[in-house]
Amino acid sequence: MKRTIASKLPDVGTTIFTVMSQLAADTGAINLSQGFPSFDPPQKLRDDIKHHLDNGANQYAPMMGVPALRSAIAEKTTRLHRRSIDMDREVTVCCGATEGLFCAIQAIVRAGDEVIVFDPAYDSYEPAVTLAGGVTRHLPLSISADGYDFSIDWQALADAVNPRTRLIVVNFPHNPTGAILRDADLDRLADIVRDTDCYLLSDEVYEHIVFDEEPHCSLLAHDELWERTMVISSFGKTFHATGWKIGYCIAPVYLSDEFRKVHQFATFAISTPVQHGIADFLQSDAAFYQQLPAFYQEKRDFFCSLLKDSRFRLRPARSTFFQIVDYSDISNELDLDLAKRWTIDNGVASIPLSVFCEQAFTGTRLRFCFAKDNATLEAAAEKLRDL
Ligand code: PMP
Ligand code: GLN
C-alpha cells in the first residue's frame, strides 16, 4: 500500500526562489530571480573568518551567539538608531533571517491567533504562522495612482486589527517592491497598536540598502514600538554572503527570552568561526556597510539605464537589490507563466509578484535582482530589450 500523509501545509508548494533558480539552471538562463549577489564578500571578512577557523573557533558557539558579535551588533544598533541594547539579553544570533522569522513566529503565535501580513509578502511568513496554529490575514499594500509606489493602507490596518490579532509582520525596506517606511509611518503604526495586545515582527534584512539619501527608519528607533517589537536582520544581504545563513534578532528582554526558548531547539547555535569573523569585521570595517547604499544605487541606476530603451515601465527602486518592472506594454500574460516562459524562451529568469499575494492585485509586474556584476546585467538587459 502506498503511504500518504495528511500535510500540515497542504497549500504550500516549493518556494518560488527554488523553482525559478532551478529553471534558470536547467535552461542556462541568466538568473535575476532569487536574490543573491554574483560577487563575493569582502576579502578582509573572508580572511577574518579563516583566521578564526585556523585558531580554534570550531566548537559550539554559545546558544545566543558569541559575545563579540552580540556586542558589535548592539554597538552598531545604538550608533544607528540611538537605542541602547543589552547585548546579553536583547540580541540573539540566528541561522539567517529565515530562522529568526520562524522562531519569532513560533514564540509568539498561539493556536487561533491572527497574524497580519502585507501583500506582496515574503513567502516564509505564512507557513510559519500556519505551523504555529495561527491564521494569516493578508492586507494588500496600496498602489499609488502612477503604479510605482506601494504603501500601507493605515485605515485598512486599523480596521483589521481586532482582539484576536496577535502579531503584525512588517518588512521595510520591502522585498519585492522596495518601499520604505518614514518616521510618520512609525507614528501611525504606534497609534494603531497602542491599545492592543498585539506584537510586531519587523523584517529589516535590507536595513543597509536604502537609496537616494533616505534613512532606514527602524522600528527599533521608535520608543513606543520598540516595547513590543522583534527586529530580524541578516548578514547575508549586508556582506554579499547569502550562503552563510547568519542573521540576528533584537528584541526587548521579555520577547528575546521567548525567542531564545525556540531558537535553542531550532538550531541551538550558529557557525562559530563565521560569528567571530563578522564580529571582527563589523568593529574594524563599518565603512563597508556605510557605502552599501552607494554601491547598490549605482547598480540600480546602471540596470535601469540599460532598460531605458526597453518596453518595460519602471521607477527606480527606493531600496533593496530588486527592481520591479511593469510589462503591460509587452504582454498581458499572467506573471508566473510569463516569468517561466521568458526564462525558457528568452534566457532571463525573474520573480513574479503574484506568488506573494493572496489576491491578484499586483498585475503585470516582475522582479529582477540587480545584485550582479555589470557584464551579467548588460547581457540580461540585451535580452530584455528584445522583448
Ligand atoms: N526576509 C526577506 C524580506 C528576504 O528578502 C530574505 C532573503 N532574501 C529573508 C528574509 C531571508 O534571509 P536569510 O537568507 O538571511 O535567511
Ligand atoms: N530572499 C531571497 C529573495 O527574495 C531569496 C531567499 C531564498 O531563496 N529563500 O530572492
Side-chain angles (χ1 to χ4, degrees), residues 82-377:
R82 295 177 306 282
R83 166 133 345 263
S84 153
I85 300 290
D86 179 343
M87 61 166 264
D88 288 322
R89 303 195 62 196
E90 295 179 329
V91 181
T92 309
V93 180
C94 53
C95 182
T98 309
E99 192 234 345
L101 293 161
F102 191 83
C103 291
I105 289 169
Q106 302 314 311
I108 296 289
V109 178
R110 304 155 306 185
D113 283 346
E114 287 186 7
V115 177
I116 294 176
V117 303
F118 298 96
D119 285 357
Y122 188 64
D123 69 348
S124 80
Y125 307 147
E126 180 160 11
V129 171
T130 306
L131 289 174
V135 177
T136 305
R137 290 197 60 184
H138 294 256
L139 298 185
L141 291 176
S142 306
I143 308 181
S144 61
D146 66 7
Y148 295 125
D149 264 315
F150 287 71
S151 58
I152 290 180
D153 178 340
W154 296 109
Q155 191 55 51
L157 177 62
D159 293 344
V161 170
N162 69 74
R164 286 184 307 281
T165 310
R166 179 75 165 171
L167 185 67
I168 300 172
V169 183
V170 288
N171 165 220
F172 296 94
H174 185 250
N175 176 11
T177 69
I180 57 173
L181 288 184
R182 302 203 168 84
D183 285 333
D185 295 311
L186 301 186
D187 291 337
R188 301 290 298 273
L189 184 56
D191 289 343
I192 291 170
V193 297
R194 184 163 302 130
D195 297 320
T196 72
D197 291 326
C198 138
Y199 299 92
L200 298 163
L201 177 57
S202 187
D203 177 349
E204 301 186 12
V205 299
Y206 300 99
E207 59 176 327
H208 295 301
I209 315 182
V210 181
F211 307 133
D212 307 315
E213 311 291 323
E214 294 262 12
H216 164 51
C217 295
S218 174
L219 269 64
L220 269 168
H222 193 283
D223 287 340
E224 213 181 325
L225 294 179
W226 157 247
E227 291 173 8
R228 55 173 90 213
T229 298
M230 292 180 283
V231 172
I232 305 289
S233 194
S234 170
F235 290 117
K237 321 292 167 190
T238 304
F239 294 137
H240 313 323
T242 61
W244 292 354
K245 295 302 294 187
I246 177 164
Y248 54 91
C249 171
I250 302 180
V253 173
Y254 76 103
L255 290 175
S256 286
D257 285 350
E258 295 308 309
F259 180 90
R260 288 176 178 184
K261 286 182 192 174
V262 182
H263 162 75
Q264 65 185 340
F265 298 121
T267 56
F268 182 69
I270 312 308
S271 166
T272 311
V274 174
Q275 289 197 58
H276 281 292
I278 291 179
D280 290 353
F281 190 75
L282 272 178
Q283 301 286 16
S284 62
D285 289 74
F288 184 82
Y289 63 79
Q290 287 159 359
Q291 57 73 49
L292 213 53
F295 173 80
Y296 274 122
Q297 188 166 325
E298 202 178 314
K299 293 257 164 239
R300 175 199 72 173
D301 292 344
F302 183 61
F303 185 57
C304 290
S305 72
L306 291 171
L307 292 186
K308 214 159 173 255
D309 297 325
S310 75
R311 291 197 289 155
F312 291 105
R313 277 190 276 147
L314 61 86
R315 211 267 326 275
R318 292 189 193 283
S319 69
T320 76
F321 43 53
F322 303 115
Q323 179 62 49
I324 298 293
V325 301
D326 182 327
Y327 61 79
S328 55
D329 290 343
I330 307 174
S331 169
N332 56 11
E333 224 172 310
L334 291 177
D335 61 355
L336 178 58
D337 297 340
L338 194 66
K340 288 182 177 170
R341 191 165 69 73
W342 280 351
T343 304
I344 297 164
D345 295 347
N346 300 84
V348 184
S350 59
I351 295 288
L353 258 61
S354 61
V355 297
F356 304 122
C357 307
E358 184 182 54
Q359 289 167 14
F361 84 105
T362 47
T364 48
R365 291 179 175 84
L366 295 173
R367 187 197 85 173
F368 291 107
C369 173
F370 56 76
K372 306 293 168 189
D373 54 90
N374 287 359
T376 302
L377 294 176

Side-chain angles (χ1 to χ4, degrees), residues 38-58:
S38 69
F39 24 86
D40 275 327
Q43 185 64 53
K44 160 80 165 49
L45 171 56
R46 286 182 279 151
D47 289 344
D48 286 342
I49 293 172
K50 280 184 229 165
H51 167 80
H52 288 287
L53 201 55
D54 290 337
N55 285 276
N58 294 305

